[in-house]
Amino acid sequence: MTNLYHKDIYKFDEPIKSYWESTINTNVKYKSLEKNIKTNIVVIGGGYTGISCALSLAKNFDEDVVLLEAGHIGWGSSARNAGFCCIPPAKMSVKKMFNKFGKIETKKFFKNTIEGSNFTKNLITEYKIDCDLTGNCNYEVAPHPSYFNSIKEEANLYKTEFGIETEVFSKKEFNEIGHMGEEQFGAFSYKPGFAINPLKFLLGLAKQAEISGVKIFQKSKVNKIEKNSGKFNVISNGQIITANKIVMATNGFYQDDLFPQLNNMILPVISNIIITRPLSKSELDSHNFITRNPVLNIRNLLFYYRLLSDNRFLFGARGDVVGSEQSSIIKSKKMEKQMKKVFPNWKDVKIDYNWRGLVAVTTKFTPSIGKLDEDEIYYSFGYQANGVNTAPWSGNELAKLIVSNSKELKISKFYQGLPKKFPFPKLRLFYLRLYLMYCSIIDK
Ligand SMILES: Cc1cc2nc3c(=O)[nH]c(=O)nc-3n(C[C@H](O)[C@H](O)[C@H](O)COP(=O)(O)OP(=O)(O)OC[C@H]3O[C@@H](n4cnc5c(N)ncnc54)[C@H](O)[C@@H]3O)c2cc1C
């Protein structure tokens, strides 16, 4: 196993000290694997992808499913993210999408990504998951006057090409309905868009999976998978699960250690979040911070923020490239400075929480859902930091693929198939450093 980052980031035994962890009842307990089992399908990874897939397999298709999670249920990125449900799960401009995939396929992709947002929302409604759902649109904010035209163009493209409801606001208009600040030079909104407490959503989903018959085991890291007489032996905690099919739902935390076919395809990128103490009314008024909708500042090295129900301010950005606890603290301090530069009237506000996690970027720059050609091994990963929108929906699409006879996904090609492996994969962090340097030069 070759980890790109410091071992601190893979401490599966320790809960991350996130704000979300402080909002839940910590008595939620699942067993760890302690005996050999036989099943039809083993799902590896207990985030949105794995749990949604397992839930759908058990509930909709009556399948026998075991789910294994290395940490506790609520350890991975699905429990650490900012809870923004945004679109689209791709790191490329619409113009590039048109050139690469054509207009028709791009339209299908946008249709699917809207379905993704609605799928997440519907799960919350159907299972009555109390996860502090807030907001009725997403905002994208121009960090400099020169970005305002591109904001208008994007809003127009969304509306005319994909039928998405958008609205453009000048700086003055957004001062009134959104917020003021040093990097607000107009904005646009799109629907659907909302935000959630990601951990409460995950635990709600896991509960439904368990009710539907999924056998969930936490603190059960899969160390090895062997093939024996056409079946898989999945080894975890020294026990063996014998299964016919495997679902890989490990996303950014995959350690290039289980299947050679899937190794070296992900560039895990650290993403950090800081959260302030609750802000007073006068502090909020000082920047006229009114909106509870998620906001994205569209710099190349983008950052995002939103106001939580207890008036704490959440601020997120890309993280460091080392991965140690120490480097995370240093990064959080830098983010605090950046946040206070954008919202200078909050310069004395204390930060109560900081944490980080991994998002999965691939050479495709779009998600990858499918099945390995020669094996009953299914995968879904690489949401390019848009998992709230994409991962539950993808898990469900994967479940349909697993039970189908045709083995064909009925979704846009943007999502289908594996990405190319990174050339010289040990250099992945070097490529990331170069990219970050390039972005910071452009942003300046
Ligand atoms: C700080 C941060 C902020 C983010 N903000 C947003 C946001 O606002 N909106 C958005 O849409 N997306 C956001 N994302 C991305 C989003 O969280 C992910 O895309 C999404 O959670 C992926 O879900 P998943 O189930 O595929 O992966 P995960 O939730 O990461 O689950 C994978 C699981 O696999 C487990 N695992 C790994 N290896 C093994 C093994 N060998 N055996 C057993 N289990 C294993 C891990 O422990 C992990 O729990 C953010 C991510 C981070 C880190």
Side-chain angles (χ1 to χ4, degrees):
M1 182 194 347
T2 43
N3 280 332
L4 291 175
Y5 289 109
H6 192 279
K7 61 179 176 359
D8 283 354
I9 213 154
Y10 298 102
K11 284 184 183 165
F12 292 103
D13 289 340
E14 289 180 22
I16 204 89
K17 291 187 189 75
S18 75
Y19 167 69
W20 311 124
E21 284 277 349
S22 79
T23 66
I24 56 146
N25 168 4
T26 47
N27 288 332
V28 191
K29 290 262 181 287
Y30 290 94
K31 287 187 196 150
S32 56
L33 186 69
E34 284 169 353
K35 59 175 187 196
N36 296 347
I37 308 183
K38 284 195 174 71
T39 187
N40 188 23
I41 305 165
V42 171
V43 176
I44 305 174
Y48 300 149
T49 307
I51 291 185
S52 169
C53 182
L55 169 61
S56 177
L57 284 168
K59 189 168 179 197
N60 302 333
F61 304 109
D62 210 17
E63 290 286 353
D64 189 17
V65 189
V66 169
L67 183 142
L68 299 173
E69 163 56 46
H72 62 286
I73 294 294
W75 186 89
S77 291
S78 297
R80 306 178 187 200
N81 63 65
F84 289 35
C85 192
C86 349
I87 60 162
K91 285 263 174 296
M92 68 176 88
S93 65
V94 173
K95 202 171 153 201
K96 194 156 182 207
M97 292 179 196
F98 283 166
N99 284 340
K100 197 169 170 196
F101 294 92
K103 247 189 191 183
I104 293 174
E105 200 55 44
T106 306
K107 285 187 181 190
K108 198 168 171 191
F109 171 58
F110 269 83
K111 187 173 162 281
N112 283 157
T113 185
I114 299 288
E115 276 168 23
S117 285
N118 292 335
F119 187 80
T120 299
K121 182 76 120 349
N122 290 343
L123 286 172
I124 295 168
T125 315
E126 180 181 353
Y127 296 121
K128 299 186 179 59
I129 302 175
D130 179 7
C131 59
D132 308 327
L133 183 89
T134 178
N136 61 359
C137 69
N138 283 338
Y139 291 125
E140 293 197 4
V141 165
H144 184 269
S146 62
Y147 281 75
F148 190 57
N149 268 345
S150 67
I151 275 202
K152 283 200 290 194
E153 274 167 27
E154 198 175 346
N156 190 41
L157 256 179
Y158 274 25
K159 193 182 277 182
T160 52
E161 298 290 355
F162 313 125
I164 293 171
E165 191 180 332
T166 60
E167 202 173 339
V168 176
F169 305 93
S170 66
K171 175 182 168 70
K172 192 164 163 279
E173 286 164 342
F174 200 67
N175 276 343
E176 274 155 32
I177 61 128
H179 65 77
M180 297 174 178
E182 296 301 302
E183 286 202 22
Q184 193 282 86
F185 294 91
F188 89 94
S189 65
Y190 65 80
K191 290 181 178 179
F194 56 91
I196 53 171
N197 175 321
L199 177 54
K200 286 187 183 175
F201 173 58
L202 180 74
L203 294 179
L205 216 52
K207 191 173 146 198
Q208 292 306 321
E210 195 183 30
I211 290 170
S212 302
V214 178
K215 295 175 205 83
I216 299 179
F217 296 98
Q218 61 179 11
K219 306 213 165 173
S220 304
K221 182 168 191 281
V222 174
N223 302 112
K224 206 173 174 191
I225 300 173
E226 293 167 345
K227 224 164 163 199
N228 191 0
S229 318
K231 296 209 178 245
F232 294 102
N233 284 342
V234 180
I235 298 156
S236 168
N237 292 349
Q239 312 299 325
I240 300 176
I241 304 188
T242 312
N244 298 313
K245 298 174 190 185
I246 307 260
V247 176
M248 289 299 293
T250 49
N251 202 43
F253 287 98
Y254 181 58
Q255 289 174 285
D256 294 334
D257 56 348
L258 296 177
F259 292 110
Q261 301 97 308
L262 293 175
N263 294 350
N264 304 324
M265 285 183 175
I266 292 174
L267 167 55
V269 175
I270 301 178
S271 191
N272 276 53
I273 289 178
I274 55 174
I275 291 195
T276 68
R277 63 153 169 77
L279 297 167
S280 66
K281 178 163 184 325
S282 63
E283 283 166 338
L284 291 174
D285 289 348
S286 72
H287 283 298
N288 206 32
F289 208 106
I290 292 168
T291 183
R292 302 267 164 185
N293 286 320
V295 186
L296 184 80
N297 174 310
I298 60 157
R299 277 162 168 268
N300 286 289
L301 284 181
L302 53 82
F303 55 83
Y304 49 89
Y305 44 89
R306 70 182 174 102
L307 194 59
L308 303 179
S309 55
D310 57 1
N311 287 347
R312 291 176 188 274
F313 189 67
L314 177 157
F315 187 86
R318 61 130 201 112
D320 64 89
V321 284
V322 178
S324 66
E325 301 287 3
Q326 186 60 23
S327 62
S328 177
I329 292 166
I330 295 168
K331 179 66 197 177
S332 302
K333 294 277 172 214
K334 283 189 187 156
M335 283 170 63
E336 183 179 345
K337 258 193 187 162
Q338 189 181 22
M339 181 203 106
K340 292 179 175 177
K341 214 167 142 192
V342 180
F343 299 102
N345 300 337
W346 299 344
K347 66 180 185 328
D348 296 323
V349 172
K350 190 175 158 282
I351 302 299
D352 275 354
Y353 295 90
N354 71 77
W355 72 92
R356 44 54 188 290
L358 294 174
V359 303
V361 172
T362 63
T363 52
K364 243 173 98 182
F365 298 111
T366 58
S368 299
I369 311 177
K371 173 188 174 300
L372 293 187
D373 282 344
E374 305 297 326
D375 253 324
E376 284 297 317
I377 298 168
Y378 297 80
Y379 56 83
S380 181
F381 61 91
Y383 312 120
Q384 325 289 325
N386 262 262
V388 177
N389 164 289
T390 318
W393 176 85
S394 300
N396 186 54
E397 289 302 319
L398 201 56
K400 289 193 248 171
L401 181 72
I402 293 167
V403 299
S404 84
N405 293 327
S406 73
K407 298 294 174 209
E408 259 180 47
L409 280 159
K410 294 185 176 58
I411 56 177
S412 158
K413 291 196 177 70
F414 274 65
Y415 299 90
Q416 299 192 32
L418 286 170
K420 287 205 174 87
K421 293 193 184 221
F422 279 88
F424 307 106
K426 281 193 179 146
L427 296 181
R428 276 173 282 180
L429 287 189
F430 174 70
Y431 304 146
L432 178 62
R433 278 199 184 95
L434 286 183
Y435 173 73
L436 295 176
M437 264 164 58
Y438 166 79
C439 288
S440 74
I441 291 166
I442 306 228
D443 280 339
K444 273 179 194 148

